Amino acid sequence: MPKLFKETQVVISGTGVFTPPGVVTNEELVEAHNAYAVKFNSENAKAIESGEVEEIQPSSSEFIEKASGIKRRHVMFKEGILDIDRMMPIIHQRSLDELSVCAEMAVNAAHEAFARANKKPEEIDLVICGSSTTQRPWPAVAVEIQQALGCSGYAFDMSVACSTATFGISIAMDAILSGTATCALIVNPELVTPQVNFRDRDSHFIFGDVATAVIVEKAETASGAHQFRVLDRTLKTSFSNNIRTDFSYITRVEPDLTLERFFEQDQWFVQHGRKVFKELLPMVTTLVKKQLEDKGVKISEIKRLWLHQANINMNLFATQKLLGRKAQAGEAPIVLDEYANTASAGSIIAFHKFHEDLSSGDKGIICSFGAGYSVGSLLVEKV
Ligand code: CO8
């Protein structure tokens, strides 16, 4: 006999995705990386020969697609990324009366979510803005978004890296269930490219920019065409240094800080991809299996798995472990080929693009996983 679901009264009533206009293909990235490598290697030929400096190896589109499933990525600001004398986007400082970039991305995604949820901005009384790296520590970007949209209530920023969206939805549910909010907007503007080291062949291809928005409210107030009741949310974290960034306000006061040191890879993004693969996936599959068991739901009842989008091989492995067989077409949608890894936004993009065909009573899992480590799994059922 299935256990009674506690939280049947809260639904996801609408979602939105803002896809930035710029596109960078693997081929473009590889061409720029390899031109940079040739230049670097020739400028440092002596030091490379003496073993003082490591030669930069060429990147390859074939490797990228095979190892990750990524074909291209969307970027907010393409200019500068492929310039081998810069290899980072150019983002001009905005004046105080302009929206910050992350707020602009989030506002765009929110408008689509409002339309789908059939909600007006003034009906929102909680705005949560979360991303893997925040644009600034304060004032909260969420408060800027709240003002720009004309939402009421309160707003705050949060981060749990790639699990920020699922954790944010869970926090919004807590607020709604406890009565401190009635209708929440969770936005995840992932402006990741300023942090990517496009000179590093191991990671230059991994990330892309995007923003997602999710509206969460009580079932009794919801009128969107495609609502999903959240039957359960299971969250877990376990500390690991295998995906880490150390850049922060503390970087400024390092006694040996030089401009070169500031730009070194370990300040911005360190990843031991293989270890992540080995350690994080068992956490994910164990957590989801236990979640279903605790709720008395059989895996055969799960019609769709909207998984975090970091690596296609990871998703194939996770779905095989969960289903006990290979996923059929459409059972575990992939958006990585088009968007790359978009940190917390990945599972929400997959959900946004692939949920309308489900029927009332169909169940699915929205599951994020990433740095921390963190795993957030939402068991949902179409209303
Ligand atoms: N071209 C050609 N060869 C390459 C390239 C390249 N671009 N890159 C690496 N190689 C080489 C390697 O040097 C290695 O060579 P060798 O065998 O001689 O040492 C060989 O290819 C194989 O390398 P790997 O073992 O590293 O290759 P993998 O098959 O493991 O693939 C991946 C690498 C794609 C990184 C894979 O390990 C992976 O995706 N793992 C999962 C990682 C993951 O899920 N990470 C989540 C990160 S995101 C997150 O949680 C935080 C959000 C932060 C956002 C902001 C960041 C900027």
Side-chain angles (χ1 to χ4, degrees):
M1 182 73 179
K3 286 182 198 165
L4 279 179
F5 296 121
K6 265 195 322 199
E7 292 165 349
T8 46
Q9 64 269 51
V10 179
V11 297
I12 292 173
S13 58
T15 54
V17 171
F18 166 68
T19 301
V23 174
V24 179
T25 63
N26 288 348
E27 289 70 27
E28 286 176 294
L29 265 193
V30 166
E31 192 184 329
H33 176 275
N34 291 353
Y36 167 76
V38 167
K39 183 169 171 262
F40 177 92
N41 292 342
S42 87
E43 282 171 3
N44 295 280
K46 277 202 179 128
I48 291 171
E49 211 181 300
S50 69
E52 254 172 85
V53 169
E54 218 173 298
E55 185 177 28
I56 299 181
Q57 299 299 320
S59 181
S60 113
S61 304
E62 294 72 38
F63 170 86
I64 295 170
E65 197 173 331
K66 191 159 172 263
S68 69
I70 297 164
K71 294 182 181 165
R72 63 189 76 82
R73 71 280 301 134
H74 289 265
V75 298
M76 260 320 257
F77 303 95
K78 185 168 176 178
E79 189 186 2
I81 291 177
L82 303 173
D83 171 356
I84 66 164
D85 295 317
R86 181 175 172 88
M87 297 188 82
M88 38 183 162
I90 297 171
I91 306 182
H92 295 283
Q93 278 287 346
R94 293 183 171 184
S95 69
L96 293 184
D97 47 18
E98 286 175 289
L99 268 186
S100 59
V101 179
C102 284
E104 178 192 313
M105 293 168 72
V107 162
N108 283 330
H111 283 306
E112 189 182 10
F114 290 145
R116 290 194 177 210
N118 203 17
K119 276 268 152 322
K120 294 193 183 74
E122 55 271 27
E123 293 175 85
I124 303 289
D125 55 6
L126 166 59
V127 179
I128 299 176
C129 175
S131 45
S132 51
T133 312
T134 184
Q135 173 150 11
R136 59 165 187 264
W138 73 84
V141 179
V143 181
E144 189 184 1
I145 294 163
Q146 175 195 24
Q147 187 197 44
L149 290 169
C151 301
S152 62
Y154 61 104
F156 61 88
D157 291 349
M158 60 167 282
S159 182
V160 201
C162 293
S163 290
T164 305
T166 51
F167 278 52
I169 291 169
S170 179
I171 290 173
M173 288 178 65
D174 288 337
I176 291 166
L177 290 166
S178 70
T180 58
T182 58
C183 186
L185 169 71
I186 300 97
V187 279
N188 299 97
E190 288 288 4
L191 179 64
V192 193
T193 46
Q195 200 177 332
V196 175
N197 180 355
F198 288 102
R199 296 171 183 175
D200 173 45
R201 82 161 180 165
D202 288 349
S203 61
H204 74 132
F205 58 89
I206 297 180
F207 296 101
D209 301 328
V210 81
T212 53
V214 177
I215 291 177
V216 172
E217 60 184 307
K218 283 197 174 147
E220 66 214 47
T221 64
S223 60
H226 299 279
Q227 298 168 30
F228 284 79
R229 206 174 280 129
V230 183
L231 302 178
D232 182 68
R233 56 245 163 78
T234 302
L235 314 177
K236 187 166 175 59
T237 52
S238 172
F239 186 68
S240 167
N241 284 317
N242 288 331
I243 319 166
R244 184 170 171 124
T245 179
D246 265 313
F247 171 72
S248 81
Y249 68 101
I250 291 176
T251 310
R252 177 175 179 247
V253 294
E254 261 186 37
D256 303 325
L257 185 69
T258 58
L259 198 58
E260 289 72 34
R261 173 81 191 110
F262 180 78
F263 280 109
E264 272 171 26
Q265 179 70 16
D266 66 337
Q267 290 286 319
W268 296 92
F269 178 66
V270 177
Q271 168 170 278
H272 303 289
R274 290 274 157 148
K275 284 191 185 161
V276 174
F277 226 107
K278 275 200 190 131
E279 294 172 7
L280 190 52
L281 281 177
M283 242 177 100
V284 172
T285 51
T286 306
L287 179 140
V288 173
K289 279 182 180 171
K290 177 144 189 346
Q291 177 180 36
L292 294 178
E293 201 181 299
D294 286 351
K295 292 289 152 190
V297 174
K298 292 195 193 75
I299 187 69
S300 55
E301 292 175 65
I302 298 298
K303 291 280 183 297
R304 198 142 301 164
L305 292 162
W306 298 282
L307 299 183
H308 177 53
Q309 307 279 318
N311 179 298
I312 194 167
N313 299 316
M314 254 176 141
N315 288 24
L316 292 175
F317 182 92
T319 45
Q320 170 111 29
K321 278 267 171 226
L322 288 170
L323 301 172
R325 58 170 171 80
K326 279 201 174 117
Q328 289 163 9
E331 260 185 316
I334 296 289
V335 299
L336 264 169
D337 51 345
E338 178 66 28
Y339 287 89
N341 181 341
T342 50
S344 67
S347 55
I348 304 299
I349 307 174
F351 176 78
H352 173 81
K353 291 191 179 282
F354 299 95
H355 71 257
E356 290 191 357
D357 59 315
L358 293 184
S359 308
S360 179
D362 283 350
K363 293 186 182 64
I365 296 266
I366 303 173
C367 184
S368 66
F369 39 91
Y373 297 128
S374 63
V375 185
S377 183
L378 308 176
L379 172 61
V380 297
E381 180 184 67
K382 184 131 187 210
V383 173

